[in-house]
Amino acid sequence: MMFRVLAADFLKIRRKAIWFLIFLGPIGVIALQAANYGLRYDYLMEKYAANPWGAFLGNIQFLLPVTILLGIAIIASMVANIEHQMNSWKQLLALPIARASVFSAKFTLCVLMLLISCILLGIGIVGLGLGLKLGTDVPLISVIKLSFYPFIASLPALALQLWLSVTMRNQALPLTVGILGGVVSTYASNMPDWFLWKLPLLTNHAGIPEYSVVAGLAVGIVIFAIGLLHFTRRDVN
């Protein structure tokens, strides 16, 4: 049943600006890094001659948390707002479809679209790195981790943003929470490891990025479950 709802959701966003945002995120990150190297190419190549790919990936990693968190807030809001704008929540929930399927389909839609952004980011990283002549020994494992780890660690934020966006007709509060979360993430490196908006930074006291990824996945499932339970038990205007 969820897959039928998911297919319908894909049709609803077919001609929406949301697809522009899916491409804008990774393109923006790559463009900023291209500008960075374009302006300081000789300096950066000389400074990081011992490990040009490592420095390149490190600079990109600095941009990702705020980009992902802001993107999550906007995309979750746009996905939920389709129903709000058309006043179709009551009609949708009156159909012989489980509420859990509706909420799960919205969450899955967001995840799939953001995964597309992650794939585009990985392709862009490799393409730009080769274009900058950083070397043909592309660290593919590091590129894959950089492309997907921050997103997986951001799943709690996605679950929270979708929960707020679906249950609130006025999207001002969900967007405010998302924007503040993105801004706070840039200063969150010294926050406790359990701080939700620190997880995408992949920094923790153990110094193991995978801990943040696993924590993000686990907490994301918990928040999703709470949001799902709340959605199934309340009226949506």
Side-chain angles (χ1 to χ4, degrees):
M1 182 64 72
M2 188 201 76
F3 294 105
R4 293 173 60 186
V5 180
L6 181 61
D9 283 339
F10 267 111
L11 290 176
K12 292 176 184 177
I13 65 168
R14 184 174 52 183
R15 297 181 180 178
K16 300 292 184 179
I18 191 169
W19 287 110
F20 173 73
L21 294 175
I22 295 301
F23 287 86
L24 179 63
I27 291 175
V29 170
I30 296 302
L32 287 173
Q33 193 64 1
N36 179 33
Y37 269 77
L39 294 172
R40 305 189 299 160
Y41 184 77
D42 293 335
Y43 167 76
L44 291 172
M45 291 301 290
E46 180 179 351
K47 182 178 180 179
Y48 300 112
N51 186 15
W53 273 103
F56 175 68
L57 297 180
N59 285 331
I60 291 178
Q61 183 174 2
F62 176 77
L63 300 171
L64 289 182
V66 63
T67 303
I68 291 173
L69 291 171
L70 291 177
I72 281 174
I74 296 172
I75 289 170
S77 177
M78 293 181 72
V79 167
N81 208 35
I82 293 174
E83 312 297 345
H84 291 309
Q85 287 179 335
M86 296 189 300
N87 294 314
S88 59
W89 276 115
K90 288 186 177 180
Q91 294 90 328
L92 176 61
L93 297 178
L95 296 173
I97 302 173
R99 285 189 171 210
S101 296
V102 174
F103 190 84
S104 299
K106 300 290 185 188
F107 184 78
T108 304
L109 178 65
C110 292
V111 169
L112 291 176
M113 288 190 294
L114 289 164
L115 284 175
I116 292 173
S117 282
C118 293
I119 293 171
L120 293 174
L121 176 64
I123 294 172
I125 290 173
V126 174
L128 180 60
L130 292 175
L132 293 173
K133 299 180 180 179
L134 301 181
T136 56
D137 51 337
V138 181
L140 287 178
I141 299 299
S142 296
V143 171
I144 293 172
K145 289 181 178 180
L146 181 61
S147 300
F148 292 95
Y149 273 14
F151 167 60
I152 299 174
S154 300
L155 286 177
L158 175 58
L160 176 62
Q161 290 296 147
L162 183 65
W163 179 13
L164 294 175
S165 297
V166 166
T167 55
M168 295 182 180
R169 183 177 181 84
N170 188 337
Q171 295 298 296
L173 179 58
L175 286 173
T176 299
V177 171
I179 292 171
L180 288 177
V183 173
V184 169
S185 71
T186 61
Y187 307 97
S189 58
N190 294 323
M191 299 294 288
D193 288 348
W194 52 261
F195 186 61
L196 188 151
W197 290 278
K198 178 183 178 179
L199 293 174
L201 274 66
L202 305 180
T203 58
N204 49 65
H205 288 97
I208 302 176
E210 286 76 12
Y211 283 7
S212 297
V213 175
V214 173
L217 182 59
V219 176
I221 292 173
V222 171
I223 296 178
F224 168 78
I226 295 173
L228 178 65
L229 181 62
H230 179 245
F231 180 78
T232 58
R233 293 188 175 186
R234 79 180 297 274
D235 291 332
V236 178
N237 297 322

